[in-house]
Amino acid sequence: MAQDPDTHDGRCSCGFVRSRMASTPMIVHACHCTWCQRESGGPFVVNAVVEAARVTLLQGEVHLVVTPSASGRNQKIARCPRCQVALWSHYPNAGERICFVRVGALDAPARLPPDVHIFTSTRQAWLPLPPGVLAVPEFYDPAQVWSPDARARWRAALA
Ligand SMILES: [Zn+2]
Ligand SMILES: [Zn+2]
């Protein structure tokens, strides 16, 4: 099957859930916060931020698991009900209209490298960042980082 450059399919580990992100994300974060490290077991998580309307299930279903988050306001993690692998998250600032898709659960994660590395104040130092990448100690001002098109998409998604 030919790969549409704007289409990113994903799956859980047991294969019960197959997902599709049907748009290029608004932005891709590599989050180095301690919460993401604990949830992933790795040094950071890569999240593709996209309108929930652009994320569909090709197969199966997900359960939304309420999970504590750094804000104290929790996040909801969409997990396979069988193998519990996470496909995406919803955060309280945007709610269920925005998905933070776990890039590592996509079939071709290398197609979506991070646009920005966040919370690098808690980054694990043994893994150097590539030279020249955009990296911030905590978070950033979207007006300075997001493209105008992406900011318009975000506003439209939350309208
Ligand atoms: Zn599964
Ligand atoms: Zn994080």
Side-chain angles (χ1 to χ4, degrees):
M1 187 178 72
Q3 182 75 275
D4 180 331
D6 292 334
T7 298
H8 300 269
D9 290 352
R11 54 164 284 181
C12 67
S13 289
C14 78
F16 175 65
V17 180
R18 290 204 59 87
S19 61
R20 170 164 291 169
M21 179 168 63
S23 294
T24 295
M26 292 176 269
I27 196 164
V28 179
H29 289 161
C31 185
H32 298 256
C33 84
T34 56
W35 295 77
C36 286
Q37 292 184 32
R38 183 166 39 241
E39 285 161 22
S40 69
F44 59 88
V45 164
V46 184
N47 284 320
V49 183
V50 70
E51 299 91 334
R54 305 302 296 160
V55 176
T56 55
L57 289 175
L58 303 175
Q59 178 183 303
E61 59 182 345
V62 292
H63 287 179
L64 291 179
V65 179
V66 175
T67 306
S69 68
S71 70
R73 296 163 62 207
N74 296 328
Q75 60 167 317
K76 293 176 184 170
I77 302 181
R79 294 184 178 277
C80 169
R82 296 185 182 177
C83 71
Q84 307 298 330
V85 163
L87 282 302
W88 64 81
S89 296
H90 300 294
Y91 285 91
N93 63 330
E96 295 185 22
R97 288 169 291 183
I98 300 287
C99 290
F100 286 68
V101 173
R102 300 280 179 105
V103 171
L106 297 175
D107 295 342
R111 292 171 61 207
L112 292 174
D115 296 304
V116 57
H117 291 257
I118 61 175
F119 290 97
T120 60
S121 59
T122 51
R123 181 173 74 80
Q124 294 192 24
W126 54 262
L127 185 65
L129 296 182
V133 298
L134 185 58
V136 292
E138 292 194 356
F139 208 69
Y140 57 82
D141 178 2
Q144 295 180 349
V145 173
W146 285 45
S147 71
D149 174 62
R151 296 183 70 206
R153 284 172 59 186
W154 174 273
R155 286 193 298 272
L158 298 191

